[in-house]
Amino acid sequence: MIPPDLRGRRERDPFWVAVNAAFNGIQRFRSLRAPAPPAVRPVDRTMRLTVQEVRREAEDVVSLRLGAPDGRVLPAWQPGGHLDVLLASGRRRQYSLCGDPADRRSYRIAVRRLPGGGGGSVEMHGLREGDRLAVRGPRNAFPFLAHDRYVFLAGGIGITPILPMVTAADRYGADWSLVYTGRSRASLPFLDELPARRVTVRTDDEHGVPSAADLLGDVPAGTAVYCCGPAPMIDAVRAAVRMDATLHYERFAPPPVTGGKPFEVELRRSGRTLPVPADRSALDVIRDVLPDVAYSCRQGFCGTCRTAVLSGDVDDRAPSDQGDDSMLVCVSRAASGRISLDL
Ligand code: FES
């Protein structure tokens, strides 16, 4: 408010008008001379690691040991953690850490080769000792929590997050057991690293495909069940596990689409409109025509497939896929009709 003039009047006094103008001029002059604030630069948390060792662990499975080129200590991780791997092709993939968390100079991951997959596993199998690999993390979406009793269930390459958990449970004296399943013994990586006394190996060629009851057995109340494997295995275990046990699971393949309705996805930049049937994800349909579209987990938690929505309403199907003009095309769908994407 303009103060009263020297005679107590409220109209604009030339004296105060002059004082204000001088003050504003000084402020403007100072702001012109002040150095511009430094630009905010995004922090690049990518590590460029060297492939130190490639080992064949089972049919179509190799492990890779990664370390810093200068041998420095790497960020710590806990059982259940994974790395985001940024491949030279631009693909991103996530691989569970399956080495020893106490080893701070190297990470170990393992990859099953899937020739009919999205190409990431084939590219990983092409890596050789001495190659460089860009990674981010470690991150943990499958935390291993302290319990007195565990039942671990692993299907094939699903052993990778379970292996460090088993080792930790064994180290601190928990009561635990593991059922490890797969097509055949030759397809099961890391069998020789598991303490045989607590491990039951069930292979399809010897025992047939196991039911959830075969896997779970008689789980005592209060047991923590940790499960990683193909989607049908996890779905069966989820349906069968008793109410007083706690179930923790991680899929390495996307869950089937349930409750989906057909819609159309318009790829505005590509000039294509594609029908998405009720039982397929938008990502899978888009990959048919844009095979290099970015994705990783295909389960709605990594954010790699987030795509700008240009028009249409989104049926958000991931907790993190809400509140802005984009969608995770691996799980979310159009609420109705058609959705247009910036692809
Ligand atoms: S691929 Fe991970 S959120 Fe879609």
Side-chain angles (χ1 to χ4, degrees), residues 223-243:
T223 302
V225 178
Y226 277 79
C227 179
C228 184
M233 172 180 167
I234 289 177
D235 291 342
V237 169
R238 284 178 67 193
V241 75
R242 52 186 289 168
M243 297 293 286

Side-chain angles (χ1 to χ4, degrees), residues 153-158 181 204 209-216 227-241 247 249-258 298-299:
L153 307 173
I157 195 69
T181 72
D204 301 352
V209 177
S211 65
D214 293 332
L215 296 172
L216 285 164
C227 179
C228 184
M233 172 180 167
I234 289 177
D235 291 342
V237 169
R238 284 178 67 193
V241 75
L247 174 65
Y249 61 92
E250 186 174 66
R251 301 173 191 270
F252 57 73
V257 178
T258 54
R298 292 191 288 161
Q299 296 171 53

Side-chain angles (χ1 to χ4, degrees), residues 23-39:
F23 178 76
N24 289 340
I26 291 167
Q27 290 291 86
R28 205 169 299 128
F29 179 71
R30 286 169 107 188
S31 70
L32 286 176
R33 288 179 55 100

Side-chain angles (χ1 to χ4, degrees), residues 283 295-306 328-330:
L283 173 66
Y295 71 90
S296 181
C297 70
R298 292 191 288 161
Q299 296 171 53
F301 62 80
C302 75
T304 306
C305 69
R306 184 175 290 288
L328 300 175
V329 292
C330 65

Side-chain angles (χ1 to χ4, degrees), residues 63 95 100 110-111 119 130 148 160 195 199 226 338:
S63 68
Y95 296 103
D100 180 356
V111 185
D148 293 332
T160 49
V199 178
Y226 277 79
R338 177 186 288 199

Side-chain angles (χ1 to χ4, degrees), residues 33-305:
R33 288 179 55 100
V40 178
R41 290 212 187 113
V43 179
D44 183 3
R45 302 194 188 282
T46 306
M47 293 182 283
R48 284 169 183 81
L49 304 183
T50 303
V51 179
Q52 297 176 334
E53 184 185 27
V54 180
R55 273 187 53 160
R56 185 178 183 277
E57 303 288 354
E59 274 173 10
D60 293 332
V61 178
V62 294
S63 68
L64 295 105
R65 191 168 289 283
L66 311 172
D70 59 2
R72 71 178 185 277
V73 167
L74 299 172
W77 61 281
Q78 301 294 326
H82 67 264
L83 289 180
D84 293 310
V85 173
L86 316 179
L87 289 158
S89 61
R91 295 180 176 99
R92 293 177 177 212
R93 294 292 182 269
Q94 296 173 320
Y95 296 103
S96 295
L97 287 155
C98 58
D100 180 356
D103 173 7
R104 298 293 308 278
R105 305 272 174 190
S106 72
Y107 294 139
R108 185 174 69 165
I109 56 177
V111 185
R112 181 179 297 286
R113 189 171 184 277
L114 299 168
S121 67
V122 173
E123 194 171 344
M124 289 293 288
H125 272 242
L127 291 167
R128 297 289 172 260
E129 289 172 17
D131 286 348
R132 292 291 175 91
L133 195 58
V135 307
R136 292 202 188 128
R139 294 192 291 152
N140 199 328
F142 189 30
F144 179 57
L145 306 174
H147 291 275
D148 293 332
R149 189 179 306 113
Y150 299 93
V151 167
F152 297 105
L153 307 173
I157 195 69
I159 191 64
T160 49
I162 298 290
L163 181 58
M165 295 184 185
V166 162
T167 309
D170 205 49
R171 238 178 235 162
Y172 77 73
D175 180 7
W176 68 271
S177 63
L178 164 66
V179 180
Y180 189 9
T181 72
R183 290 191 319 274
S184 62
R185 278 191 165 257
S187 72
L188 299 181
F190 306 122
L191 261 183
D192 57 339
E193 296 186 26
L194 293 164
R197 68 190 191 286
R198 290 176 184 259
V199 178
T200 303
V201 175
R202 282 195 63 107
T203 56
D204 301 352
D205 60 351
E206 281 181 48
H207 309 94
V209 177
S211 65
D214 293 332
L215 296 172
L216 285 164
D218 190 14
V219 174
T223 302
V225 178
Y226 277 79
C227 179
C228 184
M233 172 180 167
I234 289 177
D235 291 342
V237 169
R238 284 178 67 193
V241 75
R242 52 186 289 168
M243 297 293 286
D244 49 12
T246 54
L247 174 65
H248 311 260
Y249 61 92
E250 186 174 66
R251 301 173 191 270
F252 57 73
V257 178
T258 54
K261 293 200 178 79
F263 62 98
E264 286 185 335
V265 60
E266 179 194 13
L267 311 179
R268 189 78 61 83
R269 271 190 284 132
S270 312
R272 309 279 298 260
T273 298
L274 310 168
V276 181
D279 59 352
R280 293 190 78 197
S281 70
L283 173 66
D284 285 344
V285 170
I286 293 167
R287 282 177 59 208
D288 290 345
V289 297
L290 299 177
D292 294 332
V293 68
Y295 71 90
S296 181
C297 70
R298 292 191 288 161
Q299 296 171 53
F301 62 80
C302 75
T304 306
C305 69

